[in-house]
């Protein structure tokens, strides 16, 4: 790691750990949840409100940003931080995942992936080198190697071939990053291997041989189920170096994140708090709340009295009305409350790890969420 | 006027006047622009941001609120102010205008109007008495008599018949209001008469005979053109009492409002700043700005450096990107900037009237807007 980018664990509780990533644009307290700012905006939120929830870092999507407004344009306008009014750290993914889930007519070769933009049908090419170039143009603080997010389900042979390609791309990504990086920027490798423990181990070892300042675990939360996901997290964190941050990509629910923290993960991202927020689904300290439900029509109680979020103090009856009426303010308030809940969850997790009470904390949250989901 | 609701003119410049309405929930500086909070929300804005723009009062739509969430429900939840987190004054219309523009299968009789809800097709009846009852359940500070918004164009006979009905409804509205009102609430009459000066005069005189603490001019900005509108405003304000506020309903553009202020109007409401905001059309001190325009794609200048609004400091290139991408943040920022522009316009108008420089100010704004519209 460069002197400008570092990670230190300050306390452990079993495999769970709390600490901080230090980077030029600020400290990222871990475990950390990164709200997703797909198209240079955490949807339906003012940037200052994202910051006020306690988020130390947000995620931007390379796929979306390279297509619109375009990486070169963002660079010309001063980089992604300036463009989107966010001066704290930003992590960008490599674009690989969205190419698989959103683009049309994908063709994967050794060189990279060619696809048609879902916006205008233009043919676009994404190689490991271009993925890094785009992320450097955006100016993100933590960048990700281009990988192939192995589809689920995959046979062992398919997973192995996909993994091998991803490891070759990881090596090329690092080489490109070395030529383009600015001081304090970091590139993370991504463990793949589908649901095969030996492939996950092989992938982790291959990445460690290449050497990265942080490691992600990818290709999970794609339908394999929580047990398989936790198994793959465990085999990965057992191997990955203790002194590097570990990032579980695209996860997830409060229970998924707490389970992964218990297994040694440090960073998460997920569209769930904002996407659910736009659909009237709230995350609260009392569990999930579906604000569309008619039983809230005359409920004068605040969405979440245990939350410190201003948006969570709005009455359920009013939020129900806004959601049912399709009013933007409903999306704005519930997204805000959800992102803050996720940040409060991480803050409590950090404290519980420092206090060596993490297991009890995770169990308490699981119970709150188990009850509410039975509604 | 009751002791709790009063109006005082503090300065005049020609027919233009500035002053203040005092009501139990706060002072309304005039000329005043009321952002429209149709369904218990000024669309895409947090209530505290609406307040921070300088708005002293907002408008709620009786038609929408009586259908959803329902006036009785709002009353049960503590009234509209509590429900929508707005503790300053609220003016509600009577619902008549929206019945004409939104509802299906309308049937107008002497008794009132029966219509089908545009939401669920339910048959709903609105009489002068029910319109007042709904507004009292909502708890609005300024209420409006039920009237028939005369369609445009209308023959003189049609306009006369419609006006006569509206005047009978105004009398019944006042009688109902007398029985239900709370201290400090006020009921305004509405001048109708289409584009016929003698009918406007007849209507104003009829309302003054009934007696109201404030008078609105309705049925304008419906396609009659600015010249006809200004003519009708002039004949109305020439007759209406000097010591009562005058409200031009549903108007309008900056130029329309300044022209009406020059002719003695004090209050305005319009969906334009919020509706335009949701479509990427900004009102700035430099004129109108269509943020969808490709020439803003790489424009790093702020939307409106002359505005004190935080949202107006965002760069045009970023706003262009948000608007083109259909991101809610685009609607949020441009709506906020527009509502603040409207408030700043009113603040400048008040100052210019006090300084006896209103004509020059209105001309300056007209020139800024004339140039920008030719873009």
């Amino acid at each position: 790691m460069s002197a400008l980018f570092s990670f230190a664990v300050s306390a452990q509780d079993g495999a769970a750990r709390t600490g901080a990533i230090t980077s030029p644009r600020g400290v990222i307290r871990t475990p950390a949840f990164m709200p997703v700012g797909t198209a240079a905006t955490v949807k339906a939120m003012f940037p200052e409100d994202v910051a006020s929830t306690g988020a130390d870092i947000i995620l931007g999507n390379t796929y979306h940003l390279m297509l619109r407004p375009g990486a070169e344009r963002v660079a010309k306008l001063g980089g992604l931080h300036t463009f989107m009014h966010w001066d704290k750290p930003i992590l960008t993914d490599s674009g690989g995942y969205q190419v698989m889930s959103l683009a049309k007519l994908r063709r994967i070769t050794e060189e990279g992936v060619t696809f048609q933009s879902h916006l205008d049908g233009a043919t676009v090419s994404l190689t490991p080198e271009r993925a890094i170039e785009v992320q450097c143009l955006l100016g993100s603080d933590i960048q990700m190697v281009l990988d192939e997010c192995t589809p689920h389900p995959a046979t062992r042979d398919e997973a192995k071939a996909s993994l091998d390609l991803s490891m070759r791309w990881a090596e090329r990504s690092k080489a490109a990053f070395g030529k383009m990086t600015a001081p304090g920027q970091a590139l993370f490798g991504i463990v793949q291997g589908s649901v095969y423990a030996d492939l996950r181990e092989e992938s982790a070892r291959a990445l460690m041989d290449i050497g990265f300042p942080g490691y992600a675990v990818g290709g999970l939360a794609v339908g394999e189920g929580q047990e398989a996901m936790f198994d793959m997290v465990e085999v990965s964190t057992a191997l990955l170096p203790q002194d590097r941050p570990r990032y579980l990509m695209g996860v997830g629910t409060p229970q998924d994140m707490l389970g992964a923290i218990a297994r040694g993960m440090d960073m998460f991202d997920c569209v769930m708090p904002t996407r659910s927020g736009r659909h009237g689904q709230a995350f609260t300290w009392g569990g999930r709340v579906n604000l569309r439900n008619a039983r809230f029509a005359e409920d004068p109680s605040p969405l979440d009295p245990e939350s410190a979020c201003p948006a969570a103090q709005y009455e359920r009856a009013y939020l129900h009305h806004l959601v049912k009426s399709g009013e933007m303010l409903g999306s704005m308030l519930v997204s805000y409350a959800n992102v803050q809940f996720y940040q409060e969850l991480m803050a409590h997790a950090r404290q519980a790890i420092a206090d060596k009470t993490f297991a009890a904390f995770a169990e308490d949250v699981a119970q709150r969420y188990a009850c509410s989901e039975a509604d």
Side-chain angles (χ1 to χ4, degrees), chain A residues 173-213:
Chain A
S173 296
K174 185 179 174 183
F177 182 79
K179 290 178 197 154
M180 297 184 233
T181 183
Q185 288 179 326
L187 178 69
F188 282 18
I190 306 175
V191 176
Q192 290 288 351
S194 187
V195 293
Y196 305 99
D198 61 324
L199 295 184
R200 289 278 169 185
E201 291 173 352
E202 180 183 330
S203 178
R205 287 209 176 83
L207 292 171
M208 289 157 66
D209 283 346
I210 303 172
F212 292 95

Side-chain angles (χ1 to χ4, degrees), chain A residues 78-143:
Chain A
L80 186 56
H81 296 80
T82 300
F83 185 63
M84 69 184 292
H85 288 227
W86 178 262
D87 60 9
K88 297 204 277 186
I90 297 176
L91 180 148
T92 44
D93 61 13
S94 68
Y97 180 81
Q98 264 89 22
V99 169
M100 298 304 150
S101 57
L102 292 177
K104 289 170 192 161
L105 292 175
R106 301 175 298 275
R107 200 167 58 87
I108 301 179
T109 66
E110 184 64 32
E111 178 60 15
V113 54
T114 305
F115 61 92
Q116 284 198 335
S117 161
H118 73 291
L119 294 177
D120 60 4
T123 300
V124 183
S125 161
L126 191 63
T127 62
E129 293 77 17
R130 176 62 182 161
I132 297 299
E133 184 183 22
V134 167
Q135 294 180 81
C136 285
L137 286 164
L138 296 173
S140 54
D141 305 279
I142 302 180
Q143 307 185 4

Side-chain angles (χ1 to χ4, degrees), chain A residues 145-181:
Chain A
V145 300
L146 184 66
D147 65 344
E148 188 196 18
C149 182
T150 313
H152 179 83
T155 66
R156 199 184 175 290
D157 284 351
E158 290 165 347
K160 167 68 172 151
S162 168
L163 163 64
D164 288 344
L165 179 66
S166 285
M167 294 305 107
R168 293 191 295 274
W169 284 2
E171 199 147 7
R172 284 169 54 193
S173 296
K174 185 179 174 183
F177 182 79
K179 290 178 197 154
M180 297 184 233
T181 183

Side-chain angles (χ1 to χ4, degrees), chain A residues 5 7 17 21 188 213-215 243-247 266-267:
Chain A
F5 183 93
F7 175 62
R17 63 231 207 120
I21 299 169
F188 282 18
Y215 295 89
D243 63 347
R244 304 289 156 103
R246 303 160 181 163
Y247 160 31
D266 305 304
M267 300 167 72

Side-chain angles (χ1 to χ4, degrees), chain A residues 30-102:
Chain A
T30 65
F33 176 77
M34 303 182 279
V36 176
T38 300
T41 159
V42 177
K43 287 186 193 297
M45 290 187 72
F46 290 121
E48 60 267 32
D49 290 340
V50 178
S52 82
T53 64
D56 292 332
I57 177 173
I58 60 172
L59 179 145
N61 286 124
T62 285
Y63 171 84
H64 288 89
L65 294 168
M66 71 186 285
L67 297 182
R68 185 173 60 194
E72 279 74 11
R73 176 167 287 170
V74 171
K76 194 183 292 186
L77 290 162
L80 186 56
H81 296 80
T82 300
F83 185 63
M84 69 184 292
H85 288 227
W86 178 262
D87 60 9
K88 297 204 277 186
I90 297 176
L91 180 148
T92 44
D93 61 13
S94 68
Y97 180 81
Q98 264 89 22
V99 169
M100 298 304 150
S101 57
L102 292 177

